[in-house]
Structure formats: C-alpha cells, structure tokens
Amino acid sequence: MIKKIIILSICFCFFLVGCNGSKKVTSEEKNKDIMVDYFADNGFGNTVAIVQHPSGVYHKGITYVAYQGPLEDPYVVSYNHKTKEWKGPFKAGISEMGKDPNRKKKIDNHGKPALLIDNEGYIHITFGGHGGMRKHGENPLGNHGYGKNLHAVSKKPLDISSWETLDNVSLFGTYSQFVKMDNGDIYFFYRHGAHRSDWVYQKSTDNGKTFGEPVSFLKHKRRTDIEAEDSWYPWVSRGNGGDIIVAFDYHICRDKNNPQDTRGHIPERHNLYYMLFDTKTGEWKNVKNELLEIPLTKEMADEKTLVKKIPDDWTFQAITDVDPNGNPHVGVLVGPDIGAKRSGPKRMQHFRWNGKEWLQSKNTNLPRGNGDIEVTSAKEVSIYLESETNNDVGEIARWDSFDGGDTFKKNKVFLQRENSGFVISALIDNPHPDARIIVGEKEKGSDFRKMYLLGDNGPIKRVKKNFGKIKK
Ligand code: ZN
C-alpha cells in the first residue's frame, strides 16, 4: 500500500511539473522580454541595397524603413525616436517576383522597395520591377526582364499599417530611386527595362497621384565597333537648391555570342561619370556648367562627363554628394577582372571636384565593400561602408575625412559580427543621428536576414516578442 502511495505521489509530481509548463514554455516566456539589437528577422535575400533608394526616411520624429521580405514582397517598419516605439513590419504590397518555384534564379532581388513621404504625409513605395515581361506588351524604351514595377501608397498619412497599390507609373521600371524637391515635386528615376534600356525619370507635381510620361536621360544604343550595346548604372541624389546630381558607370552589354569576348555576356562595368539636372531650369549640365543634351549618349558622356576612365578594372555602384559650394564628391567600387564571369573584390575609390579638376583621394586602404557618402562641409566627408575583414568578421563602419576628401580614416564602427556579412542601404533621407543606415545580416545557410537600424549609438534595440510572430 505504502509503495502504491509513493508511486502515485511521484506520478502526481510529474503531472504538476507538466501543468506548470515544460522547459520549452519557460524559454518562450523568457524570450518575451528579451531585447535584441535587430528590429526584424524576416529580411529576405539582398533585402536592402545602395541602388534602390532611399529605403529609409526620417520625418517628424519618426524613421520609416522599407526592405525586401519573404517572397520578395516589400515590408515597412517605423521607429518613433521619442517614445522608442516600433511599428510593423507591415507588408506594403505584393511583388510579382519571388513566387515562381521553378525559376532558375531563386531570388531576383531587383524589386527592392524605395520609399518617399510626400508633402501631405502619405508614404510611397515602389517595388517589384525588373524590366517587365513580354506579356505586359511592347517596351518602347528598351528590352524586357522580369516582374512588374508597382507603386503603393499608405491609405492614411504617416500610417504604415494599410496600403493601396496604384497603377500610375511604368511597369517596366527597375532600380527605383526617389528624389523629392523642396517644393514637393517628386522625381522617380529608374531603368525602363532590362540591360538594354534607357534610364528615365517620371515627375509628379501632385504628391504622386499622377506622373508625367517617362523622360530618357541616359541612352542605350547599339555599338558599331563591337557586338554589344551601351548600358548604364546611374545613382541619383539631391544636390544644392533645385539640383539633382547623378554619378554613373558604364556597362558594355555584350551579345551572348560575340567574337570580342568568349565569356559572352558578363557584368562588365567601367569608368566613372558625373552630371547634374537643374530642375528649376530643366537643364542638364556637366561639372563645368556646360549644357548637355539628353538622353546622353556614350560618346557625349565620354566627352563631357567623365570623372575617371577605368578601362581595365571593373566598377560597381557609383555614389555622390556635393559640398555647400556645389563641388561634387563621387565614389565607385573598383576591382580587377578575374576571368570567368566575375570580377575580384572591389574597393571604394573617392574623387572630388576642386573647381578645376577631379582629384582622387590618397587612400588606397578603404575597405572592400559597398557604401554611401555624406559631405557635411567643404572639409568634412564621411563614407559609410560594409566590409568583411580577413578574419571573417562583418563590419559596418564610418570613414571620415577632415581635409576635404584627401585622406580618410576609420573613425567609428557601428556593428561587428563574427562569421557573417552585411548588405547595407543608402543613407536614410534627412536622417536622425540615431538612425542613419539600414542593414541586413547575411546568415550562412539561410536566405533570411536580421534587420538592423544603425546610427551614432549603434543598433536601435527592440523587444523580440513584438516582431517574433511575423510569418516568414
Ligand atoms: Zn548587359
């Protein structure tokens, strides 16, 4: 009898332990209040990049951030710097890309969102485009690619919780880039199709309700000397006053079968160029204030807008900013052609215009990795860079110059992680010092990314339970 009671008691004890919760529940309970230094874990693929920009805007105390999430759909979060409250991520639209399991290229990555807030406070994103498809009809300014460029607007001002997708920009767009002027005019820049397409802008003077027809500013064109076409990669940004500034490099878009390079079509890019668009007069000019005719051809680009000829090494992702006197700084990644269809790791090279000529920074030790540039005075320049050190440590750091860009020194490390790398956004528009750049952490063996919002105090933290339930 005693034996029976003991056994029953033991069973009852186990029952109680079971009721009070298993080990799993306990750890979940603990997780609920854990603060982490990332704000979401559903970034997907190359979730942000320099080219599609801005992907973050600071506006009236709040930073708004857009990134590519699961199934390549656009997601938006916001952070209130005063109350420290995060909202989202909310899905802001549905991309036509990222849904086909049979597609050879698993993640397209071209349709990442760019974000803009209009003068009425409505939040706009464009996303989902990689040049459109044949089923969408003839592309009058280039060739077809994939996806469909879409424009979504928040249903209420400064509210990221609900969105409406509009049909008022060209579906052939890719590499979305937004610029808003002081008077509220919106310029929407993009490539009008796949590689063999013009770069264009569409202008809206009514807060994005309607856009004018696409205007070509960089011309794709058949070459007559080799079996290839002229193709371009510009990056646009606000200059001083009514100026929009453009840094760009050149892509030799070779035919698949061509006698000049048996490697066929390769992502080969060269040279660095700069020009500006005076939106007040409608004039396009080079750095010497000489007028340019658009769409700019390769011949005119070489004659009038060249910053640096880079004929042997390959280039990637130009960036630009101007000092208060209007003197531009431009950067571009440069690395050796290492054969096959690739180039070697690329380092940032920095150039500045001194009023007479382009000067190159003395630094040859800027890290290998992508970044964006901010010129705060005639003397002070900062470059924000992601890089991977030799010890397999991923790092986001700021390199500062106090001599107008002649020399740079690593001055601040925002984030460092062992055994990982990062993808970074362009600088957030009008940034709060605590939130300058958006970062996705590449994790080995996964296409999902932890998302960080970085500023002068490092990553902005968040309670994990508040985004843990987002479905991947
Ligand atoms: Zn090409």
Side-chain angles (χ1 to χ4, degrees):
M1 182 67 185
I2 290 169
K3 217 175 177 185
K4 239 181 188 175
I5 288 171
I6 289 170
I7 289 169
L8 276 173
S9 299
I10 290 169
C11 286
F12 186 64
C13 282
F14 273 116
F15 175 72
L16 277 180
V17 168
C19 280
N20 281 343
S22 63
K23 212 174 177 184
K24 195 181 156 217
V25 172
T26 310
S27 75
E28 271 179 16
E29 289 288 332
K30 272 185 189 165
N31 263 344
K32 277 190 176 173
D33 291 320
I34 284 178
M35 293 285 279
V36 289
D37 56 6
Y38 46 95
F39 64 80
D41 56 6
N42 71 336
F44 186 70
N46 295 341
T47 175
V48 288
I50 303 291
V51 58
Q52 291 93 351
H53 77 103
S55 44
V57 174
Y58 173 76
H59 181 83
K60 293 185 178 170
I62 295 175
T63 297
Y64 300 85
V65 165
Y67 61 94
Q68 176 173 283
L71 300 172
E72 298 188 47
D73 293 329
Y75 283 75
V76 179
V77 301
S78 68
Y79 177 73
N80 185 318
H81 291 263
K82 212 174 227 176
T83 64
K84 303 190 187 310
E85 185 193 9
W86 287 92
K87 284 184 180 166
F90 293 102
K91 183 153 80 171
I94 297 172
S95 172
E96 285 208 359
M97 299 198 286
K99 313 289 186 283
D100 180 359
N102 300 319
R103 192 167 158 81
K104 203 169 136 200
K105 191 177 178 196
K106 207 173 129 213
I107 311 176
D108 186 278
N109 280 322
H110 284 74
K112 289 187 281 291
L115 184 146
L116 176 136
I117 300 175
D118 72 30
N119 277 9
E120 288 177 347
Y122 288 89
I123 307 165
H124 300 249
I125 59 162
T126 59
F127 64 95
H130 188 185
M133 299 160 84
R134 285 189 200 285
K135 69 175 182 186
H136 296 126
E138 195 67 26
N139 178 359
L141 296 170
N143 62 343
H144 293 92
Y146 189 48
K148 178 183 183 181
N149 203 44
L150 295 168
H151 171 209
V153 186
S154 63
K155 285 187 178 165
K156 292 180 208 153
L158 305 180
D159 179 352
I160 61 170
S161 64
S162 56
W163 297 80
E164 185 182 2
T165 298
L166 307 178
D167 188 16
N168 65 354
V169 295
S170 170
L171 63 90
F172 295 108
T174 187
Y175 296 124
S176 297
Q177 306 183 29
F178 270 134
V179 181
K180 190 179 78 170
M181 309 312 290
D182 290 337
N183 65 2
D185 287 354
I186 297 169
Y187 288 85
F188 174 39
F189 289 83
Y190 58 87
R191 192 177 67 195
H192 201 284
H195 283 198
R196 297 177 171 195
S197 307
D198 283 0
W199 276 81
V200 305
Y201 70 85
Q202 287 186 261
K203 179 183 175 183
S204 173
T205 56
D206 58 5
N207 295 317
K209 289 181 191 72
T210 61
F211 284 84
E213 285 298 304
V215 178
S216 294
F217 68 98
L218 278 171
K219 191 170 175 59
H220 81 284
K221 172 161 76 63
R222 190 79 199 159
R223 283 178 64 145
T224 51
D225 53 344
I226 56 173
E227 303 296 316
E229 284 205 20
D230 296 330
S231 178
W232 303 98
Y233 287 92
W235 191 87
V236 302
S237 189
R238 272 292 299 271
N240 295 338
D243 291 348
I244 291 173
I245 53 177
V246 189
F248 51 115
D249 61 346
Y250 173 74
H251 167 47
I252 305 180
C253 191
R254 298 183 194 273
D255 292 356
K256 273 189 184 142
N257 300 307
N258 73 79
Q260 286 86 25
D261 195 320
T262 51
R263 292 179 289 179
H265 180 268
I266 44 178
E268 180 183 0
R269 289 158 65 169
H270 296 289
N271 301 343
L272 177 61
Y273 305 86
Y274 173 85
M275 63 182 173
L276 72 84
F277 176 28
D278 180 339
T279 61
K280 287 186 175 153
T281 62
E283 291 169 335
W284 289 75
K285 298 176 192 171
N286 69 3
V287 75
K288 293 176 183 166
N289 229 18
E290 295 168 338
L291 289 181
L292 301 169
E293 202 177 303
I294 59 156
L296 197 74
T297 60
K298 170 68 163 51
E299 291 74 20
M300 288 312 288
D302 284 345
E303 194 182 320
K304 297 276 192 186
T305 63
L306 203 58
V307 174
K308 172 87 172 172
K309 211 168 181 175
I310 306 170
D312 299 320
D313 284 342
W314 288 14
T315 54
F316 186 76
Q317 193 53 67
I319 46 169
T320 183
D321 196 9
V322 285
D323 77 10
N325 305 318
N327 287 324
H329 291 237
V330 288
V332 70
L333 298 185
V334 181
D337 172 5
I338 57 169
K341 299 209 169 199
R342 305 186 294 122
S343 69
K346 297 186 185 71
R347 270 181 210 281
M348 178 71 69
Q349 290 191 2
H350 170 272
F351 302 84
R352 65 198 186 278
W353 177 254
N354 70 352
K356 287 181 186 147
E357 60 182 335
W358 290 104
L359 301 175
Q360 185 169 1
S361 161
K362 290 196 181 82
N363 281 76
T364 52
N365 64 335
L366 288 169
R368 300 187 185 112
N370 228 330
D372 194 3
I373 188 171
E374 183 183 37
V375 183
T376 43
S377 76
K379 290 280 173 212
E380 292 158 283
V381 189
S382 298
I383 305 180
Y384 294 75
L385 285 162
E386 56 86 10
S387 63
E388 269 170 69
T389 66
N390 294 335
N391 306 324
D392 206 16
V393 176
E395 185 176 281
I396 310 288
R398 194 181 72 216
W399 290 64
D400 293 326
S401 171
F402 299 99
D403 55 13
D406 199 32
T407 56
F408 287 86
K409 210 176 156 193
K410 183 158 79 176
N411 244 355
K412 190 167 177 63
V413 174
F414 297 99
L415 186 64
Q416 231 180 21
R417 285 285 184 278
E418 277 179 30
N419 302 315
S420 66
F422 298 106
V423 288
I424 64 169
S425 70
L427 286 167
I428 287 170
D429 219 27
N430 179 39
H432 185 286
D434 289 342
R436 296 184 184 277
I437 206 153
I438 308 149
V439 169
E441 182 182 3
K442 291 188 274 187
E443 285 178 277
K444 278 176 189 151
S446 172
D447 291 324
F448 287 95
R449 311 285 181 240
K450 290 191 175 98
M451 303 300 300
Y452 299 83
L453 184 56
L454 299 184
D456 293 353
N457 294 309
I460 298 180
K461 293 193 161 94
R462 187 174 193 190
V463 178
K464 192 173 186 331
K465 70 174 178 187
N466 291 343
F467 64 86
K469 285 174 189 161
I470 302 295
K471 208 180 151 197
K472 279 188 181 173

